Amino acid sequence: MRRPRRRDGHRPFAPRLAASLVGLLLAGLLVVGCRSEEPTGATVVDLVAELPHARSATTRARVRLADPQNGDLLRGGWNRNAAADGAFLWALGPRAGVDVFVDRVVDRTLRLRCAGVALPPGEAPRLTLRIAGEAVGSQPLPPPGEPQPIDFEVPAAGFELGVNRLELEVSRWHDPSNPADGVVDDRPLGARCEALEMVGAVASVGAPHRETVAERQRLVLPAGSGVRYFLEPPAGARLELSGVERSGATLALRVVDETGRIVVETDVRGGGSWPLGDTSTRLRIDLVAAPEPDSLGGVFTRWFDDTDAPRVLLERAHVLRGGRVAAAGGAAGAAHEERVPAPEEPPEEIARAAGSDSPAGSRAPVSGVLVYLIDTVRADHLGLYGYHRPTSPELEKLAREGITFTEARAQTSWTRTAVASIFTGRLPSGHGVDDRDDVLSDDLVTLAEVFDDAGWTTVGVVTNGNAGPRFGFAQGFDAYQHLRESFKRREVHHLADDVNSWILTWLDGYLASHGGSQGGAAQGDPPPFFLYAHATDPHAPYTPRPPFDDLFAAGVDPTLGELATVREITSGKRTVTPEERDGLVDLYDGELAFVDREIGRLVDLLRDRGVFDDLLLVIVSDHGEEFLEHGGWEHGKTLYEEQLRVPLVIKLPGAEAAGLRIDGRADHVDLLPTVLDVVGLEPPAGLDGQSLLPAVRAVAAGRKASERWPSIAELRLGEDEQLSLVDGDEKVIVEQARGARFFALDADPAELDDRGVAEPFAAGVLEERLRRHLAAAEARRPQPVETELDPETREQLEALGYVQ
């Protein structure tokens, strides 16, 4: 069933709707808005203005853990697939995390409804509950079957005001590597969990929100709710609250740094100002509104009238840079305020303006631009990136004349959204092409349209219908050919040799029409061209042509990689042995080797025609492929590294910076501004990418490239929504229905050790950055465009695994 859209065209995603969330929504800390009264000092963060991006929390008496709207409560250690009826989740051993909100610190009973898993004979498993790392109780885990209640008595001293992180620790769990467990499952199952109850808690009737009062905004915290911000303020910053009004509720402020040190803990009355420390560190700020004892009954009798319900109002809540500390409740004086632009203009630290630092007129002559995309190539399966098999000798040869980016990343893990980001230089939130029937909007300016406006000839050839004319990708092209898939062919797609034939047939005609010749350089100077080519060879089915079928897969049953078999495997109808899994990888690698050979042939033929030396050539992939690394197959299902890390080789005109390897991140959204920078054309406004050319020239000159920005990926193919951000070696993946996972990629490149429970501050800061970037991108998003899939297209997408 398709998810409904809101009236503004966006799909509902719980973390973007703070007023309806039961989980914690992490703050995106842009400074926007305008106040008639300025706080004393330069504003770093305006917490009132940032509430729409904040993580809010409300008191809940009972939480169904498998309910998608509660996904933001889950903090690592949970499987991503709930039961078919959505009644429970599997907590993965040995630990799983969940957050609960406490508006009053009192003795409480926490009740978990759980059941164990089938295990070999041995000691009965126990479930230990920890809060903030401290064990508060241990109980026997009920036997397999329907979940049963387990009560933990937690004294008031076991809680802190606001959000508390619970860890469920299971003493024994199903180990997938131990066949004696008797459980056919590749997940380390620990417990079957249905619900979490806070016995006797009075549920909140509202979530934090903003109220507009005569062109001003104020923060409204209904009793039993709170809001949490993660931030990294400068040394000497302080927090200033003013204009606090309480009605049947109290307001508590708590600031904690990443070492666990309490920086501020106080009840707030009229307002106040508090220093946040002399050193720059990650901080967590909690604002909690609790009902006063005599107002509890009124929560249910008066909640229909919002103005009469117990709540707290805040006129201003600012983190300030330096300046004097005002007395508690003191009036704020006028002062200069440092602001970043409103969301329609991206914040300075994430605005990726295109343009290089090269001197005017220093660009090499350009005969044309060829962007050649190879569908479904994971970088770690190419010899160019250290793979143990010779899958890419031709690409390695080309890299000696070009530049290799060692950490190139896709903005999603399926084709249509990825190509839209390449064509527009925008994140998926910024271009709106993220589901099965989405079409690239005419309101967006594509790479082909920039070239077309500049008088270039623009042509494209694609072999994957997801990047075809039906979905808006032909805009700006003089000719755009879809070599259609056919299920009468064993390989389904037209392969790279057909793509090359199309390219060369067009190029020969183009050169001839402009006074050139097939066998050598053009007699005149034909106008430059832009050509986009899209080969789909490594995509399923995995059916390499001879002799590549035996290159790595000698002895493998060739029917294993055929489309019907792959669909049986990916749908779960066929169980795959480890040997068969390896056989599929062998066949996939053979397809990589075939398309690599065709890249080499194309380069040779371009040299013969005299266009290669002055050609800007980009070799890239749209996404990778999974072979059970995280329990799944193919792509378009997760945002793990095997689906996001892609190859990127750029050969500049005149072989500038030949043989260079760039270690910094490079994203799909960077390709449009990079290509235009090389040829000297102005990029369109509203990009989320930045030219890579300054980094190339800095490294070529022996200088350090500028600090790289975080890399963001988004996936909305299906009922769930997933987001990810990579910054340095830290990565966070946020799922709408399954919460957040946090990984340290240097120590854990396979993303097997979810540190979301153990490192909440690091995970929290990354989520905050993710929200900030997406808020800016989404503010520039055009109205979405959809198409009704005809039966033939729907059948094709279903067969290829894009429609369930």
Side-chain angles (χ1 to χ4, degrees):
M1 182 179 71
R2 179 166 177 79
R3 290 168 284 130
R5 290 185 186 268
R6 303 203 315 261
R7 288 176 183 244
D8 62 3
H10 297 170
R11 295 185 183 83
F13 175 31
R16 287 200 289 263
L17 301 176
S20 65
L21 288 179
V22 298
L24 299 173
L25 295 182
L26 189 63
L29 304 177
L30 309 179
V31 182
V32 296
C34 182
R35 301 255 181 231
S36 59
E37 293 181 40
E38 298 293 342
T40 57
T43 296
V44 178
V45 179
D46 180 345
L47 302 182
V48 176
E50 287 313 301
L51 183 64
H53 310 297
R55 283 199 172 269
S56 60
T58 57
T59 302
R60 297 294 304 274
R62 188 175 190 272
V63 175
R64 292 182 67 252
L65 296 174
D67 192 328
Q69 70 173 339
N70 296 332
D72 248 26
L73 294 171
L74 307 180
R75 310 310 300 174
W78 302 91
N79 75 304
R80 69 178 305 272
N81 296 314
D85 60 359
F88 69 91
L89 292 178
W90 286 112
L92 304 181
R95 292 186 179 91
V98 60
D99 285 339
V100 297
F101 178 75
V102 173
D103 59 21
R104 291 181 302 134
V105 176
V106 296
D107 297 347
R108 295 183 184 273
T109 299
L110 292 179
R111 177 172 295 159
L112 284 158
R113 299 188 64 85
C114 294
V117 298
L119 295 173
E123 183 182 352
R126 296 183 66 84
L127 180 65
T128 299
L129 181 67
R130 299 178 182 274
I131 301 181
E134 297 293 329
V136 296
S138 180
Q139 301 279 1
L141 192 62
E146 287 300 312
Q148 301 296 321
I150 309 174
D151 286 354
F152 293 91
E153 303 299 331
V154 184
F159 291 106
E160 63 180 33
L161 197 63
V163 176
N164 290 256
R165 178 143 306 168
L166 277 58
E167 296 176 49
L168 284 60
E169 181 179 336
V170 181
S171 61
R172 291 185 65 204
W173 64 93
H174 160 62
D175 183 350
S177 65
N178 183 4
D181 279 3
V183 180
V184 182
D185 202 300
D186 58 7
R187 297 167 295 177
L189 305 183
R192 171 178 172 171
C193 296
E194 180 184 80
L196 170 67
E197 300 176 35
M198 193 154 52
V199 179
V202 178
S204 171
V205 295
H209 60 279
R210 287 190 305 177
E211 221 173 52
T212 301
V213 181
E215 300 183 355
R216 298 177 63 180
Q217 296 288 332
R218 60 184 184 180
L219 176 61
V220 181
L221 294 170
S225 73
V227 62
R228 168 170 286 185
Y229 303 87
F230 284 94
L231 66 156
E232 298 176 277
R238 72 180 190 279
L239 173 65
E240 186 171 292
L241 307 179
S242 60
V244 178
E245 299 177 18
R246 298 178 297 115
S247 175
T250 61
L251 176 63
L253 165 66
R254 199 167 193 266
V255 182
V256 181
D257 70 16
E258 58 189 327
T259 69
R261 181 178 67 92
I262 298 175
V263 179
V264 180
E265 188 170 34
T266 186
D267 290 332
V268 181
R269 296 188 179 275
S273 186
W274 300 269
L276 297 179
D278 294 328
T279 59
S280 180
T281 184
R282 291 168 172 169
L283 296 178
R284 190 188 74 210
I285 298 177
D286 287 294
L287 293 169
V288 177
E292 293 178 345
D294 59 357
S295 70
L296 291 178
V299 170
F300 295 102
T301 60
R302 294 184 286 147
W303 71 277
F304 293 101
D305 182 1
D306 183 60
T307 61
D308 199 28
R311 62 178 184 171
V312 175
L313 302 176
L314 286 87
E315 291 286 346
R316 287 177 298 278
H318 286 218
V319 176
L320 304 173
R321 186 191 304 274
R324 66 181 181 83
V325 176
H336 171 68
E337 193 169 328
E338 293 181 356
R339 297 190 181 278
V340 297
E344 60 268 16
E345 294 296 329
E348 182 179 355
E349 66 268 28
I350 68 169
R352 302 175 181 180
S356 95
D357 55 5
S358 58
S362 67
R363 295 183 177 87
V366 181
S367 60
V369 174
L370 170 56
V371 175
Y372 197 112
L373 186 147
I374 312 169
D375 208 301
T376 322
V377 181
R378 49 188 288 174
D380 63 352
H381 273 242
L382 297 177
L384 178 65
Y385 291 90
Y387 193 45
H388 66 278
R389 284 174 166 170
T391 53
S392 58
E394 295 299 328
L395 198 54
E396 292 163 46
K397 187 188 304 181
L398 175 62
R400 290 194 284 271
E401 299 182 72
I403 303 139
T404 302
F405 292 85
T406 63
E407 194 183 342
R409 293 181 170 276
Q411 259 60 74
T412 190
S413 59
W414 78 293
T415 299
R416 197 183 311 158
T417 303
V419 175
S421 285
I422 291 171
F423 275 24
T424 65
R426 292 181 178 225
L427 295 170
S429 284
H431 60 61
V433 181
D434 48 25
D435 210 345
R436 300 180 184 100
D437 50 5
D438 286 339
V439 176
L440 190 65
S441 171
D442 287 339
D443 294 336
L444 294 168
V445 179
T446 68
L447 182 58
E449 287 177 305
V450 176
F451 281 118
D452 185 51
D453 289 344
W456 290 46
T457 297
T458 56
V459 294
V461 55
V462 300
T463 55
N464 186 327
N466 273 307
R470 167 178 292 278
F471 297 109
F473 292 101
Q475 54 188 284
F477 286 96
D478 299 322
Y480 196 77
Q481 179 69 49
H482 176 202
L483 304 180
R484 295 186 66 87
E485 298 86 339
S486 172
F487 297 110
K488 297 179 180 179
R489 290 191 296 268
R490 181 170 177 264
E491 59 269 22
V492 178
H493 305 97
H494 282 273
L495 299 186
D497 53 351
D498 290 339
V499 173
N500 290 352
S501 295
W502 192 97
I503 292 173
L504 295 169
T505 298
W506 174 84
L507 183 60
D508 288 341
Y510 184 69
L511 293 176
S513 68
H514 290 88
S517 62
Q518 284 192 15
Q523 296 173 1
D525 288 322
F529 61 86
F530 167 63
L531 198 159
Y532 173 72
H534 187 132
T536 318
D537 304 40
H539 194 291
Y542 313 117
T543 51
R545 288 181 179 174
F548 297 93
D549 54 346
D550 285 337
L551 183 60
F552 308 117
V556 174
D557 179 0
T559 66
L560 184 64
E562 292 180 352
L563 190 60
T565 308
V566 172
R567 286 293 147 260
E568 287 184 352
I569 293 170
T570 57
S571 66
K573 295 178 180 178
R574 173 169 174 165
T575 301
V576 175
T577 66
E579 292 75 20
E580 289 175 324
R581 182 265 178 195
D582 292 343
L584 288 166
V585 172
D586 296 338
L587 293 167
Y588 171 79
D589 287 349
E591 292 204 323
L592 293 177
F594 171 78
V595 74
D596 177 74
R597 184 194 70 176
E598 292 304 310
I599 291 291
R601 287 183 172 180
L602 177 63
V603 167
D604 290 341
L605 293 168
L606 292 173
R607 290 188 199 276
D608 292 344
R609 285 153 176 79
V611 299
F612 180 77
D613 289 346
D614 294 336
L615 183 71
L616 169 59
L617 174 60
V618 178
I619 306 291
V620 69
S621 184
D622 51 352
H623 53 75
E625 190 83 328
E626 181 183 356
F627 294 96
L628 281 185
E629 284 85 355
H630 290 92
W633 297 96
E634 296 188 278
H635 54 270
K637 300 176 180 68
T638 75
L639 295 177
Y640 288 110
E641 295 292 273
E642 61 269 10
Q643 296 196 33
L644 295 184
R645 293 288 292 271
V646 294
L648 176 60
V649 176
I650 299 178
K651 200 262 332 163
L652 295 176
E656 179 185 353
L660 198 66
R661 290 178 74 89
I662 305 291
D663 292 332
R665 286 185 297 278
D667 284 357
H668 276 166
V669 293
D670 301 324
L671 293 180
L672 180 149
T674 300
V675 167
L676 296 179
D677 193 6
V678 172
V679 302
L681 294 178
E682 189 72 21
L687 301 186
D688 295 305
Q690 180 183 15
S691 173
L692 299 168
L693 197 54
V696 168
R697 290 178 171 161
V699 174
R703 304 192 310 270
K704 183 178 180 181
S706 300
E707 187 75 17
R708 301 301 290 175
W709 48 86
S711 178
I712 290 172
E714 307 174 54
L715 180 61
R716 300 179 181 87
L717 183 61
E719 297 304 314
D720 200 1
E721 180 167 28
Q722 301 177 51
L723 309 169
S724 77
L725 179 143
V726 177
D727 195 3
D729 75 322
E730 296 179 332
K731 178 176 180 178
V732 66
I733 300 175
V734 181
E735 274 189 80
Q736 177 179 355
R738 301 294 174 264
R741 296 180 295 285
F742 175 75
F743 303 98
L745 295 178
D746 283 356
D748 177 33
E751 297 169 285
L752 299 176
D753 182 15
D754 181 355
R755 305 288 296 168
V757 174
E759 301 185 41
F761 272 81
V765 169
L766 254 64
E767 284 191 70
E768 180 270 320
R769 291 176 186 161
L770 175 60
R771 306 290 179 203
R772 183 190 305 176
H773 284 255
L774 293 181
E778 196 166 289
R780 305 186 300 278
R781 178 177 178 143
Q783 283 295 318
V785 181
E786 296 183 355
T787 185
E788 189 69 33
L789 298 181
D790 60 77
E792 181 183 3
T793 301
R794 178 169 288 278
E795 179 184 5
Q796 177 190 81
L797 293 177
E798 286 176 349
L800 294 174
Y802 288 111
V803 177
Q804 304 301 321

